[in-house]
């Protein structure tokens, strides 16, 4: 007998008094949880299939549905928790490597919440952003050692290429393949309206998207999918993906079943073929090799685009960042331990890498000590949840942040963390055309614009509160931060004082 | 035909002067090339470059249709992520030749280094090809996803082996043709040796004839029936490796 030990994660509860039998739930659920038995005139729910994505709940016209955590409990045990037991069930059943979606959900310390911002009182008066301009525009790219001006005041120094962001936020790299074309369109349109950038991810770029070039960062990863001269010139910057916070040391793998006609065209591989990007670029075994790739990209784009290097936040991220800058990178993108993903081996996601706050602080410190902080911008990502996280990141030394998960939540993601199935009911992490069309770019891009605009105003308010009228005045200004609930070593790495000091 | 003297010229300047030269004359000759990188990067169809000397790393990176002939050896990463065009090298080549190339042809007269043809992929009528006259190092065709590699193994010395270890590890598309029958341990577990079809024989004939023509060699002694063909067992090699958590 083939015994299966799995039990549902969620329970679907239907209020029969409220249900008007419209069958929306049956039609909407791609996981086929809901069904209607015509003969008996009843609705059934297969709890085993429910992922708690809230699609049925949100669309139920009478709010007759509730999804709850399945009440089945194991005997209490602080060591052998429910997830520890269930993961063993799954692996002993399948023999497979556990694969999870989205960022690490475990309660590791979130340092953003342990840092507090300053504000002016009496001296250095605060500024009201409703009445006075507060600059949140940032320029991403290499900055010259010094600026030289002619006698008429004109700048003589030739500036290296820069990317202008009206808000210190970019949409993080999410490939077409991992997310749907409509999700990409919403990101691109929002980036255009906001004057920021989105990032193609490593899956190449559909020609229809070339019109967003002023707001596009194109990515190059080890598999080089869809990478060619035109693509490399189709954005304002190029990002080399070395690593990703959710899976440092692990490459990307888009399963063949997600390589549909459109994804095949963009990635330039046959339909149904696996798209494998190993962890390492096999032509990069050293900083010198990285330099070779950076300069090959600069050569083919005639030194007109800054080249970013994206790494995962790992133990020696500071030394790697220093090496990457010296290799010619114009910006370093560091993705932290809690960063999102379409799919990553669970063990890697939850155990490899370090929190972005600590990585950021140590990288900024190291680059300053080496006197090369001006040689490139520092972008960070991996669980930026709100504008306060951004302000703290800038005070720790970031030039700007990238948001992936937050952007997807704005597009309707309910964090059910089952992207890997490709059945996303919200039309985000899927290539199923029926599901994709549920995400209307026309409507949804505005939600992204709303989110980032609201954050921008909040950033201005916090800056104004500190008596500053520009993001640039806050960058690396760690005196504006104080720690709570942190030990001496953590304070030392973050380079901040304790609250009250 | 315009001639450029590359002696002691930095690659950036050299590549700039190639860009300007091809605006006037699409056929150019480079003399005294000595390790300059990125020659021919991204150059389009119609451009023809003849190189005297030794081009440096990443020659023909992202190339979009140009034809390059090297009268000498070439360094590493030639034809990196190349889209189309043709490279003929009258000599030997270093490592990672044809990394992720998606189209076009590369002919190398002699031996090549490690990790040649890795990540090669094909798309519709773009089918990249690498023809190697001599032997290849370890990891030939690693992660290969499309296109073809032909390894002729000409002029091997006594005891010299035609291919290194880990050949075609992680292959999930494309074909590798090897003159001979190397030991099985040299191949990744994803590879299968299959018999040559008529189509394969015609394909080999055509490209061996081109090789002979480019390098002015008589290859009439080569017997096609001695060639082995290697392909992937499965184009989704890792589909059963995971369980959703």
């Amino acid at each position: 007998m083939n015994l299966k030990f799995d039990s549902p994660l969620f329970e679907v509860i239907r209020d029969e008094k409220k249900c008007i039998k419209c069958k929306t739930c049956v039609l909407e659920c791609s996981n086929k949880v809901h069904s209607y038995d015509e003969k008996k005139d009843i609705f059934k729910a297969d709890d085993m299939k429910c992922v708690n994505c809230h699609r049925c709940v949100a669309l139920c016209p009478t709010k007759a549905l509730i999804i709850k955590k399945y009440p089945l409990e194991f005997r209490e045990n602080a060591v052998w928790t429910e997830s520890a037991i269930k993961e063993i069930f799954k692996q002993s059943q399948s023999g497979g490597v556990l694969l999870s979606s989205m960022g690490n959900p475990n309660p590791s310390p979130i340092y953003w919440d342990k840092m507090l911002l300053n504000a002016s009182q009496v001296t250095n008066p605060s500024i009201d952003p409703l009445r006075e301009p507060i600059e949140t525009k940032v320029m991403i790219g290499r900055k010259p050692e010094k600026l030289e001006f002619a006698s008429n005041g004109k700048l003589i120094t030739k500036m290296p290429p820069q990317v202008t962001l009206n808000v210190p936020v970019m949409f993080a790299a999410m490939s077409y393949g991992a997310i749907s074309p409509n999700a990409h369109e919403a990101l691109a349109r929002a980036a255009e309206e906001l004057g920021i950038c989105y990032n193609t991810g490593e899956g190449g770029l559909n020609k229809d998207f070339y019109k967003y070039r002023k707001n596009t960062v194109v990515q190059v990863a080890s598999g080089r999918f869809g990478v060619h001269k035109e693509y490399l010139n189709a954005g304002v910057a190029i990002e080399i993906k070395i690593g990703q916070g959710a899976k440092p040391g692990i490459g990307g793998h888009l399963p063949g079943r997600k390589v549909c006609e459109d994804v095949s065209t963009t990635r330039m591989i046959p339909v149904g073929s696996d798209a494998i990007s190993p962890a390492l670029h096999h032509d990069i075994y050293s900083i010198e090799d990285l330099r070779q790739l950076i300069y090959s990209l600069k050569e083919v784009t005639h030194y007109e685009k800054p080249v970013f290097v994206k790494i995962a936040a790992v133990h020696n991220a500071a030394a790697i960042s220093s090496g990457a800058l010296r290799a010619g990178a114009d910006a370093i993108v560091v993705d932290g331990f809690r960063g999102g993903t379409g799919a990553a081996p669970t063990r890697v996601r939850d155990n490899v890498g370090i929190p972005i706050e600590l990585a950021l602080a140590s990288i900024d410190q190291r680059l300053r000590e080496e006197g090369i902080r001006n040689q490139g911008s520092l972008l960070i990502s991996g669980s930026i949840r709100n504008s306060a996280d951004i302000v703290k990141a800038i005070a720790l030394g970031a030039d700007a942040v990238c948001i992936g998960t937050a952007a997807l939540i704005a597009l309707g993601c309910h964090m059910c963390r089952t992207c890997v199935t490709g059945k996303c009911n919200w039309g985000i992490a899927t290539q199923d055309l029926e599901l994709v069309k549920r995400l209307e770019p026309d409507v949804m891009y505005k939600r992204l614009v709303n989110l980032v605009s609201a954050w921008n105003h909040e950033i201005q308010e916090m800056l104004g509160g500190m008596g500053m009228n520009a993001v640039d005045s806050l960058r690396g200004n760690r005196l504006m931060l104080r720690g709570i609930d942190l030990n001496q070593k953590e304070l030392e790495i973050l380079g901040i004082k304790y609250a009250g000091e | 035909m315009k001639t450029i003297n590359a002696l002691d010229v930095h690659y950036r300047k050299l590549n700039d002067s190639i860009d300007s030269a091809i605006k006037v004359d699409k056929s150019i000759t480079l003399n005294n090339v000595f390790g300059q990188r990125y020659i021919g990067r991204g150059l389009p169809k119609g451009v023809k470059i003849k190189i005297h000397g030794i081009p440096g790393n990443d020659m023909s990176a992202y190339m979009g249709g140009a034809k390059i002939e090297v009268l000498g050896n070439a360094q590493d990463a030639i034809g990196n992520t190349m889209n189309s065009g043709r490279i003929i090298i009258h000599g030997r080549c270093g490592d990672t030749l044809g990394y992720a190339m998606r189209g076009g042809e590369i002919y190398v007269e002699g031996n090549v280094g490690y990790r040649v043809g890795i990540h090669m992929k094909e798309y519709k009528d773009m089918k990249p090809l690498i023809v190697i006259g001599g032997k290849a190092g370890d990891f030939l065709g690693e992660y290969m996803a499309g296109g073809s590699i032909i390894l002729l193994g000409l002029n091997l010395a006594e005891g010299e082996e035609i291919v290194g270890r880990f050949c075609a590890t992680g292959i999930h598309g494309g074909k590798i043709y090897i003159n001979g029958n190397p030991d099985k341990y040299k191949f990744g577990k994803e590879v299968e040796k299959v018999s040559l079809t008529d189509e394969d024989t015609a394909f080999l004939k055509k490209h061996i004839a081109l090789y002979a023509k480019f390098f002015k060699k008589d290859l009439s002694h080569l017997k096609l029936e001695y060639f082995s063909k290697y392909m992937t067992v499965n184009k989704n090699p890792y589909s059963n490796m995971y369980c959703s958590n």
Side-chain angles (χ1 to χ4, degrees), chain A residues 387-403:
Chain A
S387 59
D389 291 352
I390 299 175
V391 174
K392 292 170 189 175
I394 291 168
L396 277 183
D399 286 87
V401 304
C402 304
I403 57 167

Side-chain angles (χ1 to χ4, degrees), chain B residues 62-219:
Chain B
Y62 322 105
M63 199 163 79
K67 288 185 174 173
I68 297 195
E69 190 163 9
V70 179
L71 300 160
N73 299 325
Q75 293 190 323
D76 295 337
I78 305 301
N80 183 357
T81 322
M82 156 177 169
N83 226 23
S84 61
R86 187 160 77 196
I87 302 171
I88 300 172
I89 294 162
H90 295 264
R92 289 176 293 176
C93 238
D95 300 337
T96 58
L97 170 77
Y99 182 122
M101 72 186 281
R102 190 183 296 114
E105 297 171 354
I106 301 178
Y107 289 84
V108 181
E109 184 177 358
N111 299 338
V112 296
Y114 295 111
R115 292 206 150 88
V116 165
I118 79 173
H119 282 297
M120 263 172 95
K121 34 184 76 73
E122 64 187 46
Y123 176 60
K124 294 190 173 163
D125 53 351
M126 300 171 81
K127 291 189 174 156
L129 167 70
I130 300 178
V131 182
I132 301 154
K135 62 173 184 174
D138 294 350
F139 298 103
L140 177 74
E142 189 186 18
Y143 301 109
M144 194 169 170
S148 308
I149 296 174
I150 301 175
L151 189 55
L152 299 178
L154 304 171
N155 306 324
L156 293 186
E158 183 70 30
E160 229 178 358
E161 305 204 29
I162 187 165
V163 71
R165 295 166 304 156
F166 311 111
C167 180
T169 307
I171 189 174
H172 51 292
K175 297 161 235 172
I176 299 180
Y177 302 94
I178 297 179
N179 182 7
N181 189 15
D183 291 334
K184 198 164 182 254
Y185 80 89
K186 294 202 153 185
F187 294 86
K189 61 182 185 301
E190 301 87 351
V191 196
E192 199 169 26
K193 189 176 156 187
V194 297
S195 358
L196 293 178
T197 61
D198 292 347
E199 207 182 326
D200 292 321
T201 315
F203 180 79
L204 281 172
K205 247 185 204 161
K206 179 181 162 194
H207 294 288
I208 290 171
L210 279 170
Y211 176 94
K213 188 181 139 201
F214 295 147
F215 303 113
K216 298 190 175 59
K217 282 186 201 287
D218 177 13
L219 295 182

Side-chain angles (χ1 to χ4, degrees), chain A residues 257-478:
Chain A
R257 66 187 151 76
K258 286 195 181 176
V259 181
C260 59
E261 193 65 52
D262 272 3
V263 173
S264 141
T265 309
T266 310
R267 294 208 172 211
M268 301 179 84
I269 52 170
V271 173
S273 170
D274 277 15
I276 298 172
S277 281
L280 74 166
H281 296 240
H282 276 294
D283 53 349
I284 303 178
Y285 283 18
S286 64
I287 291 295
E288 290 73 21
D289 289 347
L290 176 63
R291 183 179 181 85
Q292 183 178 317
L293 179 63
I294 291 171
Y295 276 86
S296 82
L297 297 168
K298 290 188 178 196
E299 273 284 327
V300 84
T301 53
H302 301 282
Y303 298 85
E304 284 163 3
K305 326 242 177 230
V307 175
F308 305 170
V309 172
K310 177 179 179 177
I311 60 166
V314 289
H315 303 353
N316 51 353
I320 297 162
S321 301
S322 162
L325 275 195
R326 291 171 194 279
D330 301 292
I332 309 291
V333 184
V334 191
D335 191 20
F337 179 50
R338 294 183 304 263
T341 177
T346 311
R347 294 292 167 255
V348 173
R349 182 193 68 175
D350 298 353
N351 295 285
V352 183
I354 62 171
I356 189 61
E357 302 91 325
L358 301 178
L360 165 61
S362 62
I363 293 170
D364 180 71
Q365 186 62 30
R366 172 82 178 245
L367 300 180
R368 282 170 191 276
E369 282 166 7
E370 293 185 6
I372 56 169
R373 181 63 184 85
N374 67 301
Q375 289 191 16
S377 297
L378 190 48
L379 301 160
I380 61 121
S381 57
S383 76
I384 294 290
R385 304 157 300 168
N386 54 51
S387 59
D389 291 352
I390 299 175
V391 174
K392 292 170 189 175
I394 291 168
L396 277 183
D399 286 87
V401 304
C402 304
I403 57 167
T405 303
L408 296 187
I409 293 173
L411 289 176
C413 167
H414 281 59
M415 292 295 288
C416 73
R417 311 202 310 253
T418 51
C419 320
V420 72
T421 63
K423 291 194 233 170
C424 177
N425 268 317
W426 296 96
I428 300 167
T430 180
Q431 301 303 329
D432 178 334
L433 294 178
E434 283 305 306
L435 299 174
V436 171
K437 70 181 183 197
R438 291 179 181 181
L439 195 164
E440 292 179 53
D442 275 352
V443 181
M444 299 308 266
Y445 93 94
K446 287 184 191 143
R447 298 180 68 93
L448 287 167
V449 173
N450 288 343
L451 177 75
V452 177
S453 308
W455 284 8
N456 193 39
H457 188 72
E458 290 172 346
I459 292 169
Q460 289 173 325
E461 283 196 327
M462 283 180 267
L463 279 173
M466 289 182 273
M468 293 179 187
N469 62 3
V471 165
D472 286 333
S473 308
L474 179 65
R475 185 164 310 110
N477 189 344
R478 297 189 194 179

Side-chain angles (χ1 to χ4, degrees), chain A residues 230-249:
Chain A
E230 211 184 345
Y231 167 78
L232 294 170
N233 282 286
V236 287
I238 302 170
E239 179 175 285
I240 298 171
K241 181 193 174 186
I242 298 289
Q244 182 178 345
K247 39 183 169 178

